[in-house]
Amino acid sequence: LAKTTQPISMDSYEGQEVNITCSHNNIATNDYITWYQQFPSQGPRFIIQGYKTKVTNEVASLFIPADRKSSTLSLPRVSLSDTAVYYCLVGFFFKTIFGAGTRLFVKA
Amino acid sequence: GAVVSQHPSRVICKSGTSVKIECRSLDFQATTMFWYRQFPKQSLMLMATSNEGSKATYEQGVEKDKFLINHASLTLSTLTVTSAHPEDSSFYICSARPQRQGGLFANTGELFFGEGSRLTVL
């Protein structure tokens, strides 16, 4: 299983773009990269998933370089409600292990 | 997106009693479900992998006789905390992975999580 490394915490202000990078040096060929968001006392919520290059949906973008050893979650114009823990997971149809995640705190 | 429902969302019990938590996939079939526990300000810790029609696979350090998992159908897995003690108080979360099929969930391995169940053992 590919181990992931993320910053423990990040601070930002409302309206700013936030980029959270995840390292996964031993990612396997079949592995997808998935990001989840978790609010206190709730289950994680899917944000975005990708395999290579760039993926964009209505809430975020995911940038994956050619070597796939890292990925960057980009949240455009964050708001106070984006304060949460963000987890980067790497895997494909196997058991999923959560890393420590990144605690994002958005200030007014 | 797909919906996974957990019940109950909160439960308080006395020490020594058993508590059952249900995890249901509401609009898809899941041959595999996962159970996690989460302590305050910590990440999710995988407890076991629940496979429909077979025994669950437990992670190292998780007592299988203490945390009984049953995955009787493609839409339901249950976690029973037996003889609960205060140290079992935690936030328990399940997730489900849809069966591989064409369409939205094909080849993505995406997990859908329940809302979580907070267990407090007095």
Side-chain angles (χ1 to χ4, degrees):
Chain A
L1 291 171
K3 180 184 176 183
T4 60
T5 303
Q6 303 173 232
I8 295 297
S9 65
M10 295 181 68
D11 289 344
S12 181
Y13 288 93
E14 282 191 292
Q16 289 188 332
E17 178 185 76
V18 171
N19 295 310
I20 306 174
T21 297
C22 178
S23 296
H24 28 80
N25 291 320
N26 58 340
I27 187 170
T29 302
N30 290 337
D31 286 344
Y32 279 77
I33 300 158
T34 312
W35 286 79
Y36 289 88
Q37 175 191 56
Q38 187 183 27
F39 297 111
S41 296
Q42 294 186 27
R45 185 174 69 101
F46 172 85
I47 301 175
I48 197 166
Q49 184 181 68
Y51 183 80
K52 61 180 179 180
T53 63
K54 177 184 176 182
V55 180
T56 297
N57 62 22
E58 62 276 10
V59 298
S61 294
L62 178 60
F63 299 92
I64 306 169
D67 65 7
R68 304 200 326 122
K69 294 187 176 184
S70 66
S71 59
T72 299
L73 173 72
S74 181
L75 305 173
R77 298 180 298 281
V78 294
S79 64
L80 295 176
S81 62
D82 292 318
T83 293
V85 178
Y86 293 83
Y87 295 98
C88 160
L89 275 72
V90 176
F92 177 71
F93 277 105
F94 298 114
K95 65 182 182 183
T96 305
I97 304 296
F98 279 77
T102 298
R103 191 172 297 272
L104 173 65
F105 185 68
V106 180
K107 307 173 188 176
Chain B
V3 178
V4 174
S5 177
Q6 268 185 254
H7 178 80
S9 58
R10 293 179 180 271
V11 56
I12 300 173
C13 69
K14 293 182 178 179
S15 185
T17 60
S18 295
V19 174
K20 179 184 285 187
I21 301 171
E22 293 187 346
C23 178
R24 293 181 183 273
S25 55
L26 298 185
D27 50 2
F28 65 94
Q29 293 184 327
T31 52
T32 303
M33 291 184 173
F34 302 91
W35 287 95
Y36 306 82
R37 66 188 298 182
Q38 186 176 34
F39 293 107
K41 296 195 183 297
Q42 293 187 23
S43 183
L44 284 75
M45 182 191 78
L46 180 65
M47 298 175 66
T49 302
S50 170
N51 299 299
E52 187 267 337
S54 64
K55 292 183 178 181
T57 303
Y58 291 82
E59 294 300 302
Q60 189 173 7
V62 177
E63 300 175 60
K64 60 181 180 182
D65 294 330
K66 172 107 179 134
F67 299 99
L68 301 179
I69 292 172
N70 183 278
H71 194 153
S73 76
L74 288 172
T75 60
L76 174 65
S77 177
T78 60
L79 168 68
T80 301
V81 183
T82 63
S83 187
H85 291 285
E87 58 265 29
D88 298 322
S89 298
S90 187
F91 192 55
Y92 292 88
I93 306 170
C94 71
S95 68
R97 174 167 285 146
Q99 284 183 302
R100 292 187 69 174
Q101 56 188 342
L104 180 63
F105 306 129
N107 297 324
T108 66
E110 182 177 344
L111 285 176
F112 299 94
F113 288 83
E115 311 94 325
S117 301
R118 184 163 301 283
L119 170 63
T120 302
V121 184
L122 302 177

